[in-house]
């Protein structure tokens, strides 16, 4: 019998190794990986796939205990799922989890994902590696059917968010930016990289749901076949300028002395209709899912990229006003929203000069 503890996540029973991570990027205990904190990440997959509302052949390529694959097979109607992992130690967990939930639409598979995706194609391919997804992307793109979906996690946020600039340039061919925009830049570098990799195969991408949460970034994109789709995606890559003196951000389709960060994905991060169709009902962390859906639905999907109240406060040298009062004042003059990427972050289409004035005005009233 496989050793472990039984837990319930969403609507699914899972057997997981007794020693497992409960936060952060996670550690490999017992040779088979499981991170309780990623339940929310798996919730998002369930909400996303349910909202697509169609028959899906799914490859959870790096499934470990099978937690995501088995949840998908159990909680998303009309799915056939391959729960794959290269590590032989995972197979008893995957098989036990299939049995615990009486599933006939999920199969355990032990293969290098490059082999699996060279043999079969899927409507949905999920990549959830330790660290960077870069070594796996070619195979994942080739393993996606026409108009299929690809979900990619990256936990190598130190390079992506600019703490290891040279590593980011080597891995992703993009220059990252430290500071208040670093999470949005990390996410956009990942999506930009996927667009460039897909273009090599004459494929384009449409990001449907993209986020930076906890210790990782993740995006769900739809693949579009054809050179025109590839060119359209490439045309959405931009270079970013950031002036720490003025806080001015701007983008340009080509790099220059100022616009030297990137290339990053300059297009939309979300599909609004899909967000409307996603429901938190029955998720492991229903409250967090509902809160996140609300923020995503309201979040501006625009340039310039996110600001943080602390960067404005230290720039204008006043203490930070109450967040809600400041946001209300911004909204009276332009479009303004929270961002899911930081509780102290915000987005607005107002010019930075006006943002600073409003900030000081609100601060002076408190
Ligand atoms: C971060 S864990 C996945 C966690 C899992 N998705 C979850 O939600 O619990 C990464 C997994 O990828 C597997 N892996 C690494 N390289 C692989 C490869 N080339 N093909 C298939 N699986 C691989 C590892 O064995 C490990 O179980």
């Amino acid at each position: 019998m496989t050793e472990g503890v039984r837990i319930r996540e969403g609507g699914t029973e899972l057997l997981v190794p007794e020693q497992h991570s409960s936060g952060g990027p996670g550690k490999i205990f017992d040779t088979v990986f499981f991170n309780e904190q990623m339940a929310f990440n798996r919730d998002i997959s369930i909400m996303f796939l349910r909202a697509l509302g169609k028959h899906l052949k799914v490859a959870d390529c790096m499934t470990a205990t099978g937690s995501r694959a088995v949840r998908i097979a159990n909680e998303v109607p009309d799915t056939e799922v391959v729960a794959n992992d290269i590590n032989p130690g995972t197979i008893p967990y995957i098989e036990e989890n299939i049995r615990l939930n009486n599933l006939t639409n999920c199969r355990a598979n032990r293969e290098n994902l490059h082999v699996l995706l060279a043999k079969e194609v899927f409507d949905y391919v999920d990549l959830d590696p330790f660290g960077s997804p870069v070594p796996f992307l070619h195979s994942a793109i080739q393993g996606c059917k026409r108009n299929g979906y690809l979900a990619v996690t990256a936990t190598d946020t130190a390079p992506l968010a600019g703490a290891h600039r040279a590593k980011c340039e080597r891995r992703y061919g993009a220059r990252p930016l430290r500071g208040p925009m670093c999470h949005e830049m990390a996410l956009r570098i990942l999506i930009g990289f996927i667009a460039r990799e897909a273009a090599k195969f004459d494929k384009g991408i449409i990001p449907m749901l993209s986020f930076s949460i906890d210790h990782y970034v993740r995006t769900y994109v739809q693949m579009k076949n054809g050179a025109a789709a590839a060119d359209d995606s490439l045309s959405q890559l931009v270079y970013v300028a950031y002036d720490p003196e003025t806080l001015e951000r701007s983008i340009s389709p080509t790099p220059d002395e100022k616009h030297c960060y990137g290339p990053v994905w300059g297009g939309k991060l979300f599909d609004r209709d899909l967000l409307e169709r996603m429901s938190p009902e029955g998720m492991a962390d229903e409250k967090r899912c509902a809160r996140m859906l609300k923020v995503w639905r309201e979040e501006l999907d625009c340039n310039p990229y996110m600001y943080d109240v602390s960067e404005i406060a230290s720039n204008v040298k006043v203490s930070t006003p109450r967040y809600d009062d400041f946001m209300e004042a911004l909204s009276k003059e332009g479009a303004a929203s929270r961002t899911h990427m930081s509780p102290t972050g915000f987005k607005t289409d107002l010019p930075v000069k006006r943002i600073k004035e409003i900030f000081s005005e609100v601060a002076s009233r408190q």
Side-chain angles (χ1 to χ4, degrees):
M1 227 193 85
T2 316
E3 300 277 314
V5 283
R6 286 267 294 268
I7 59 161
R8 193 171 176 83
E9 196 179 283
T12 302
E13 295 289 323
L14 292 173
L15 181 81
V16 300
E18 193 150 352
Q19 271 204 304
H20 57 260
S21 302
S22 52
K27 298 186 185 72
I28 316 165
F29 288 111
D30 238 14
T31 75
V32 178
F33 175 90
F34 182 74
N35 185 348
E36 245 177 78
Q37 197 194 26
M38 293 298 256
F40 177 58
N41 177 300
R42 292 183 283 270
D43 278 350
I44 295 167
S45 296
I46 303 297
M47 295 192 292
F48 174 87
L49 293 173
R50 278 184 182 168
L52 293 177
K54 52 176 145 178
H55 173 79
L56 296 167
K57 185 178 168 199
V58 170
D60 186 13
C61 297
M62 313 175 101
T63 198
T65 58
S67 53
R68 191 188 312 264
V70 169
R71 280 197 63 188
I72 292 171
N74 193 35
E75 298 179 42
V76 184
D78 204 9
T79 46
E80 38 173 329
V81 182
V82 177
N84 181 71
D85 203 285
I86 197 168
N87 174 359
T90 61
I91 299 300
Y93 285 97
I94 304 170
E95 283 175 346
E96 183 63 13
N97 285 327
I98 292 172
R99 200 191 58 75
L100 276 175
N101 295 281
N102 302 313
L103 297 173
T104 53
N105 59 335
C106 187
R107 103 177 124 89
N109 195 61
R110 188 202 141 201
E111 256 171 329
N112 191 324
L113 67 86
H114 298 290
V115 177
L116 171 67
L117 297 171
K119 288 192 306 200
E120 271 184 77
V121 287
F122 297 86
D123 300 296
Y124 172 77
V125 173
D126 197 299
L127 282 187
D128 188 23
F130 299 120
S132 175
V134 165
F136 308 110
L137 262 175
H138 265 199
S139 296
I141 289 165
Q142 285 179 305
C144 248
K145 281 190 194 171
R146 195 184 188 84
N147 297 322
Y149 303 89
L150 172 61
V152 182
T153 307
T155 61
D156 55 338
T157 42
L160 281 168
H164 302 306
R165 177 175 136 182
K167 193 167 218 168
C168 188
E169 291 185 349
R170 285 197 305 277
R171 250 183 210 167
Y172 292 93
R175 180 176 290 188
L177 173 59
R178 293 189 79 154
M181 281 196 289
C182 70
H183 295 300
E184 181 159 7
M185 285 291 283
L187 182 57
R188 290 181 179 278
I189 287 173
L190 172 67
I191 304 171
F193 182 79
I194 299 171
R196 282 183 283 134
E197 291 301 286
K200 293 176 186 167
F201 303 98
D202 282 344
K203 291 181 182 188
I205 61 162
I206 301 179
M208 309 214 48
L209 178 59
S210 317
F211 50 90
S212 162
I213 291 178
D214 301 332
H215 60 279
Y216 63 92
V217 291
R218 181 161 160 97
T219 185
Y220 293 77
V221 303
Q222 185 173 24
M223 306 302 304
K224 289 285 167 192
N225 278 19
D231 288 341
D232 182 60
S233 292
L234 291 180
S235 75
Q236 299 193 58
L237 294 177
V238 297
Y239 293 83
V240 177
Y242 175 64
D243 182 344
E245 296 289 311
T246 61
L247 311 186
E248 204 78 58
R249 297 118 155 87
S250 62
I251 61 165
S252 157
T254 48
D256 56 35
E257 216 174 290
K258 260 174 63 198
H259 299 90
C260 60
Y261 301 101
V264 301
W265 177 255
K268 301 260 175 236
L269 299 178
F270 303 106
D271 178 311
R272 297 274 149 208
D273 294 340
L274 183 101
L275 281 177
E276 288 307 319
R277 294 199 302 275
M278 285 172 65
S279 160
E281 217 180 295
M283 292 303 99
D285 195 340
E286 230 177 76
K287 278 199 184 127
R288 190 173 178 197
C289 288
R291 269 201 314 273
M292 190 54 73
L293 281 172
K294 185 170 185 311
V295 178
W296 281 336
R297 285 172 185 154
E298 291 170 2
E299 181 160 345
L300 290 177
D301 205 350
C302 69
N303 296 316
Y305 303 141
M306 63 180 283
Y307 298 89
D308 196 277
V309 289
S310 60
E311 86 175 299
I312 314 285
S314 59
N315 187 271
V316 296
K317 300 194 172 45
V318 298
S319 50
T320 308
R322 266 194 301 276
Y323 181 90
D324 290 344
D325 295 345
F326 170 58
M327 293 303 292
E328 197 187 315
L330 284 179
S331 312
K332 281 191 182 138
E333 283 190 36
S337 79
R338 291 179 176 275
T339 162
H340 74 278
M341 294 186 233
S342 159
T344 51
F346 65 94
K347 291 191 175 188
T348 179
D349 60 357
L350 290 171
V352 70
K353 185 167 168 288
R354 192 63 200 125
I355 296 172
K356 290 194 239 177
E357 288 164 1
I358 294 173
F359 193 90
S360 301
E361 282 160 27
V362 179
S364 70
R365 291 203 300 264
Q366 290 181 357

